């Protein structure tokens, strides 16, 4: 049997989740009349400490709607160089929303406050691009599922708020136009691994997106949380982009089920990732540092062996992916047992030793 470690998106709904979907109370969500969708939106807004939320078909759409609402056409967002928004959303921020991007780079995908301080220009006048949003990813996928240190997030919030006060007299939070978006596709993993409450993370940002279809194991969907006015506008733009949906409650019910039942168990995924990392590092310590495996992502720096390793692992029944030149990713998830995690790690370890 194949063990699929390409991504945590490959999970399929459990029997209990399917039962919740089948019994969902639904209505037309374009009319705002789907009880399950409304319940999901309210639940996520509350968990993240925001006024309102919007259920979307994907995390890319949730991020796009957030950035679009924070950054006027032709102005910029800043993010880390390996962020999903700039690497994996196929240029939508530029191609669809008219947003330009500059990046900073950090080996663990963290915030580099001093570099951001020097890059950020909230009010650049008519000659230069003005910075309007900073996007932070937590956990940071392509940096290896790393957790953003809470102190860094607080320092960034403070920097943005102080810049706001300088730029607009009497302006409040984010008033100068530099606002913070959290790409929290795996915020659940950060929360479980760090013990920081979701609401503490959520309230440091103006907008937050979370995925239901990754570690939580729902088949489809993300949620964008923010202020009531911003979410109302995002709802209009969702429809404008053709992504308004009708009886989406069958999907929302899966998300609600996942939130109630699949958050705490993410600790198992983290244990399985740590085990995979240990077994592989024992075989070939040159390909990873086990200290760097913080959540459910294991990155192997295998150089020119990457394509060979992915192909040979596939022959042995283990699926993995290449996420950057020379970098192979193994991801743990709901559909992976500890026994299969061990078996997959032993297969990869044996190949690396050969
Ligand atoms: C998966 C992911 C998203 C959203 O992806 P979709 O496939 O569009 O749902 C956003 N950010 C990060 C970090 C992700 O891993």
């Amino acid at each position: 049997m194949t063990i699929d470690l390409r991504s945590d998106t490959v999970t399929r709904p459990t029997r209990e989740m399917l039962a919740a979907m089948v019994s969902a109370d639904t209505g037309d969500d374009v009319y705002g009349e789907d009880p399950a969708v409304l319940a999901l939106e309210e639940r996520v807004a509350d968990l993240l400490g925001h006024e309102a939320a919007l259920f979307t078909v994907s995390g890319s759409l949730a991020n796009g709607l957030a950035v679009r609402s924070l950054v006027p056409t032709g102005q910029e967002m800043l993010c880390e160089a390996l962020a999903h928004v700039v690497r994996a959303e196929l240029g939508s921020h530029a191609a669809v929303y008219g947003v330009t991007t500059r990046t900073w780079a950090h080996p663990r995908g963290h915030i580099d406050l001093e570099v951001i301080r020097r890059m950020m220009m909230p009010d650049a006048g008519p000659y230069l691009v003005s910075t309007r949003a900073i996007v932070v990813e937590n956990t940071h996928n392509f940096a290896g599922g790393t957790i953003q240190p809470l102190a860094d997030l607080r320092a960034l919030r403070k920097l943005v708020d102080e810049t706001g006060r300088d730029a607009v007299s009497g302006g409040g939070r984010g008033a100068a136009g530099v606002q913070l978006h959290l790409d929290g596709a795996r915020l659940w993993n950060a929360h479980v691994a760090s013990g920081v409450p979701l609401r503490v993370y959520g309230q440091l940002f103006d907008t937050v997106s979370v995925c239901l279809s990754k570690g939580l194991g729902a088949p489809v969907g993300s949620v964008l949380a923010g202020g009531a006015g911003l979410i109302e506008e995002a709802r209009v733009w969702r429809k404008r982009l053709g992504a308004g949906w009708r009886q989406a409650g069958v999907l929302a019910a899966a998300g609600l089920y996942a939130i109630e039942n699949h958050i705490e168990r993410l600790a198992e995924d983290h244990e399985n990732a740590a085990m995979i990392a240990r077994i592989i590092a024992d075989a070939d310590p040159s390909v990873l540092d086990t200290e760097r495996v913080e959540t459910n992502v294991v990155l192997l720096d295998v150089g020119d062996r990457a394509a060979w390793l992915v192909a040979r692992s596939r022959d042995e029944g283990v699926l993995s992916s290449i996420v950057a030149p020379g970098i192979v990713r193994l991801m743990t998830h709901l559909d992976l047992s500890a026994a299969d995690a061990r078996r997959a790690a032993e297969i990869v370890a044996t190949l690396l030793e050969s």
Side-chain angles (χ1 to χ4, degrees):
M1 214 201 61
T2 304
I3 304 172
D4 195 343
L5 303 182
R6 287 173 301 170
S7 172
D8 50 6
T9 55
V10 300
T11 59
R12 277 160 304 175
T14 62
R15 189 185 298 273
E16 295 79 9
M17 185 182 280
L18 285 168
M21 295 170 74
V22 167
S23 60
D25 191 9
T26 60
D28 191 326
D29 183 51
V30 168
Y31 294 156
E33 291 174 1
D34 188 301
V37 171
L38 293 170
L40 173 69
E41 290 173 342
E42 198 174 311
R43 180 86 175 97
V44 174
D46 181 58
L47 277 175
L48 297 172
H50 281 268
E51 279 176 357
L54 180 72
F55 186 33
T56 62
V57 69
S58 68
S60 297
L61 182 59
N63 283 337
L65 293 173
V67 168
R68 195 217 60 81
S69 73
L70 302 181
V71 185
T73 304
Q75 303 200 19
E76 75 179 1
M77 68 170 167
L78 307 180
C79 65
E80 204 277 328
L82 297 183
H84 194 277
V85 285
V86 75
R87 277 201 80 208
E89 295 176 8
L90 305 192
S92 62
H93 300 275
V96 182
Y97 307 109
V99 170
T100 85
T101 305
R102 283 189 298 153
T103 61
W104 74 90
H106 186 285
R108 299 184 86 128
H110 290 177
I111 288 161
D112 187 329
L113 204 67
E114 285 319 305
V115 171
I116 293 171
R117 194 195 301 278
R118 287 196 299 270
M119 289 174 82
M120 187 169 78
M121 290 195 69
D123 187 9
Y127 305 111
L128 297 170
V129 173
S130 292
T131 311
R132 301 303 292 271
I134 299 172
V135 178
V136 177
E137 188 173 314
N138 194 19
T139 64
H140 192 308
N141 175 11
F142 294 129
T146 49
I147 301 166
Q148 303 290 344
L150 185 59
D152 288 2
L153 301 176
R154 290 191 163 132
L156 180 64
R157 180 79 255 174
K158 188 157 172 279
L159 173 67
V160 165
D161 285 349
E162 283 169 1
T163 307
R165 276 198 297 277
D166 293 345
V168 176
S169 57
R173 183 178 162 117
V178 179
Q179 297 191 75
L180 298 181
H181 173 63
L182 173 59
D183 177 355
R186 296 185 182 80
L187 190 66
W188 321 104
N189 298 77
H191 155 65
V192 166
S194 68
V196 174
L198 290 164
R199 175 180 286 260
V200 169
Y201 281 134
Q203 288 187 325
L204 287 167
F205 290 84
D206 298 286
T207 51
V208 184
S209 65
V210 289
C211 283
L212 305 168
S213 58
K214 306 274 172 82
L216 291 196
V220 173
S222 284
V223 181
L224 173 65
L230 184 144
I231 293 299
E232 205 176 314
E233 191 189 293
R235 195 178 294 281
V236 170
W237 270 88
R238 184 185 64 170
K239 177 82 161 63
R240 183 165 289 138
L241 291 166
W245 42 11
R246 303 297 178 174
Q247 285 70 27
V250 287
L251 299 172
L256 272 169
Y257 179 87
I259 286 170
E260 302 316 329
N261 296 281
H262 290 169
I263 295 181
E264 296 311 320
R265 66 148 305 283
L266 290 169
E268 291 171 35
D269 296 349
H270 301 168
E271 281 165 26
N272 286 337
M275 173 175 65
I276 290 171
R278 271 196 310 278
I279 291 170
I280 293 175
D282 280 349
D284 185 348
S286 75
V287 300
L288 86 162
D289 173 0
T290 54
E291 293 293 302
R292 298 204 40 170
V293 178
E294 300 177 43
T295 55
N296 70 326
V297 182
V298 181
L299 295 184
L300 307 178
D301 186 352
V302 295
D304 58 14
R305 291 183 291 173
W308 167 83
L309 183 64
V310 169
R312 287 291 294 116
S313 302
R314 191 197 313 120
D315 294 343
E316 306 278 336
V318 176
L319 303 184
S320 55
S321 53
I322 295 178
V323 294
I327 308 292
V328 172
R329 187 183 70 184
L330 307 173
M331 233 183 207
T332 61
H333 51 73
L334 179 63
D335 285 0
L336 177 76
S337 66
D340 278 351
R342 177 177 298 280
R343 199 157 76 84
E346 284 167 355
I347 287 168
V348 173
T350 303
L351 286 169
L352 285 171
E353 276 176 323
S354 66

